[in-house]
Amino acid sequence: MHIAMIGTRGVPARYGGFETAVEEIGARLVDAGHQVRVYCRGAAERQDEHRGMRLVHLPALRHKTLETLSHTALSVGHLLAHRTDVALVFNAANSPLLPFIRAARIPVATHVDGLEWKRDKWSGAGRRYYLIAERLSVRWSHAVIADARAIQDYYQERYEIGSVLIPYGAPIQDVANTELLKRAGYEPGRFHLVVARFEPENHVAEIVAGYVRSRAEYPLVVVGSAPYAAEYTERVHEIAGSDPRVRLVGGIWDQELLDALYAGCASYLHGHSVGGTNPSLLRAMGAGAPVIAYDVVFNREVLADTGLFFGDEAMLAETLETVEKRRDQEAARGAAARERARTAYRWDDVAARYERLCRDLVTGDLGTGDLRAGRAGAGD
């Protein structure tokens, strides 16, 4: 089976959850005997193949609102000239291009991601666009993929459609690279960690504010940046002020060091609030990090009883102080999170669900109806 994966920055994965998913899923589909084509943009290294996947590099407009759609438009044009058995489109924002894929009689599934229209960075026309794109993804996809039950429930309640539930997978680390941490200036087990893009819905500012008002002794290491949000970045720096405990280190692209930070922290602070199953949260769980998460349904779904939750700065400050006083208990909680990630979020299982979906799309009677109906919870 020929499978095309469209709508992300491509592989090798260096940026976010979609790219990691494409790499992990695509490589496993190749191992299962399928031919996989991945459309890539902005790649520093224009390699033709990665882990058995064929890579197609196409340009994109360097603009916050046009980058994704412009690249996907070129990708769809290439796809129509180089046919495939099935197309997997990532991000509902790409839905205006779905009719071209359907017109070519190529079965297509859309991974809708989170509730993008709720992000503070979108307002006015941007928010309206994402709401329209969400509706179009429902209308024009043969199947809708949700990565969390809460997202699945949202589409069922708002649009009365079933969707295919396929979460992300979690990388597992059983041991922290303490020597690497020490060389980089971090004391293993004695720092709190945030890894997030600086966007309001990720609550980085609130996390820093909660930490600053706490009496926590361990430093707070904040990893992340904001390519389109200089104002928000400035706000985070202002909140941190002159507190010597706060380390704003920017982006870290050394994956080995980032893995060591996840595995070696005293707690991982997760403020994401509008997505589904968040890859950074899964990475922290897989590394055995004790997680303190913003209290929303998505985070409770993923963490279950392995997480602690906060809703405001005062609650976070109190939780941080408590965590530092009970290190053995927190280590056990982190170990429980790792086991949950190991059993509930396996990349092998995720890829198998995508393979099953692709087969259903290819063999299904698309002339009489889409595969969305009746597929809620598929793969459970």
Side-chain angles (χ1 to χ4, degrees):
M1 184 164 43
H2 290 70
I3 302 167
M5 307 178 86
I6 304 172
T8 74
R9 288 173 175 80
V11 297
R14 294 189 179 92
Y15 188 80
F18 268 160
E19 289 72 29
T20 299
V22 166
E23 176 161 345
E24 297 297 337
I25 295 162
R28 286 166 173 79
L29 291 175
V30 169
D31 290 342
H34 305 291
Q35 297 183 46
V36 177
R37 183 193 313 160
V38 178
Y39 288 92
C40 309
R41 60 182 152 106
E45 304 171 9
R46 294 179 58 86
Q47 59 197 79
D48 296 326
E49 185 177 300
H50 178 67
R51 296 180 66 179
M53 295 170 279
R54 182 196 166 200
L55 311 186
V56 177
H57 298 274
L58 295 169
L61 295 175
R62 301 298 296 177
H63 188 279
K64 179 176 72 171
T65 58
L66 298 175
E67 183 175 349
T68 296
L69 194 62
S70 65
H71 178 264
T72 302
L74 293 175
S75 300
V76 170
H78 184 280
L79 179 72
L80 299 184
H82 304 80
R83 289 185 57 85
T84 185
D85 294 320
V86 63
L88 299 175
V89 174
F90 293 81
N91 195 340
N94 293 309
S95 62
L97 297 164
L98 294 175
F100 297 97
I101 301 176
R102 289 191 64 136
R105 303 187 64 81
I106 298 173
V108 57
T110 301
H111 188 308
V112 292
D113 199 15
L115 307 182
E116 187 72 18
W117 57 270
K118 284 191 172 184
R119 295 185 184 274
D120 287 357
K121 68 179 179 180
W122 304 120
S123 60
R127 182 162 296 179
R128 287 193 296 274
Y129 174 80
Y130 274 100
L131 280 168
I132 293 170
E134 186 179 276
R135 290 196 293 272
L136 296 181
S137 69
V138 169
R139 180 178 179 181
W140 289 332
S141 301
H142 293 115
V144 169
I145 303 168
D147 62 40
R149 286 194 179 279
I151 296 294
Q152 190 178 53
D153 292 344
Y154 168 82
Y155 276 81
Q156 181 65 54
E157 292 167 7
R158 188 177 182 102
Y159 301 107
E160 297 183 344
I161 63 118
S163 56
V164 184
L165 178 61
I166 312 180
Y168 290 110
I172 303 299
Q173 289 188 77
D174 289 307
V175 179
N177 188 336
T178 56
E179 290 305 314
L180 178 59
L181 285 176
K182 291 176 182 177
R183 289 199 304 269
Y186 302 101
E187 186 175 354
R190 296 185 66 85
F191 62 90
H192 303 285
L193 178 68
V194 181
V195 180
R197 286 198 291 271
F198 284 15
E199 297 175 345
E201 59 276 1
N202 292 344
H203 295 91
V204 178
E206 289 80 1
I207 289 173
V208 173
Y211 176 85
V212 168
R213 70 184 291 173
S214 77
R215 294 188 297 273
E217 296 180 4
Y218 303 163
L220 176 68
V221 179
V222 182
V223 179
S225 59
Y228 298 115
E231 183 178 339
Y232 189 81
T233 300
E234 183 178 347
R235 179 184 168 198
V236 172
H237 281 264
E238 288 177 353
I239 294 171
S242 59
D243 192 325
R245 300 173 301 165
V246 180
R247 303 180 186 177
L248 301 171
V249 300
I252 293 180
W253 309 111
D254 181 340
Q255 190 60 58
E256 189 177 1
L257 175 57
L258 197 55
D259 288 343
L261 288 169
Y262 277 112
C265 65
S267 75
Y268 173 73
L269 308 179
H270 185 74
H272 298 64
S273 63
V274 302
T277 301
N278 184 269
S280 184
L281 175 56
L282 291 179
R283 186 174 291 276
M285 292 171 64
V291 177
I292 306 171
Y294 190 71
D295 195 356
V296 292
V297 62
F298 306 114
N299 296 335
R300 284 192 174 271
E301 175 183 334
V302 175
L303 285 160
D305 60 357
T306 70
L308 297 179
F309 301 90
F310 70 96
D312 56 38
E313 297 167 12
M315 187 182 302
L316 176 58
E318 181 180 348
T319 303
L320 284 167
E321 293 169 8
T322 301
V323 163
E324 290 188 354
K325 295 174 183 176
R326 56 181 196 190
R327 294 185 61 179
D328 290 344
Q329 185 174 339
E330 289 304 298
R333 188 166 66 83
R338 182 194 291 117
E339 289 310 303
R340 175 166 172 75
R342 195 193 306 272
T343 57
Y345 296 99
R346 299 178 65 247
W347 277 120
D348 287 348
D349 294 339
V350 171
R353 295 185 188 189
Y354 272 92
E355 182 182 30
R356 189 182 317 146
L357 171 61
C358 289
R359 291 191 186 282
D360 288 347
L361 285 164
V362 170
T363 62
D365 185 2
L366 303 181
T368 58
D370 293 343
L371 297 175
R372 296 171 300 176
R375 286 302 302 272
D380 287 358

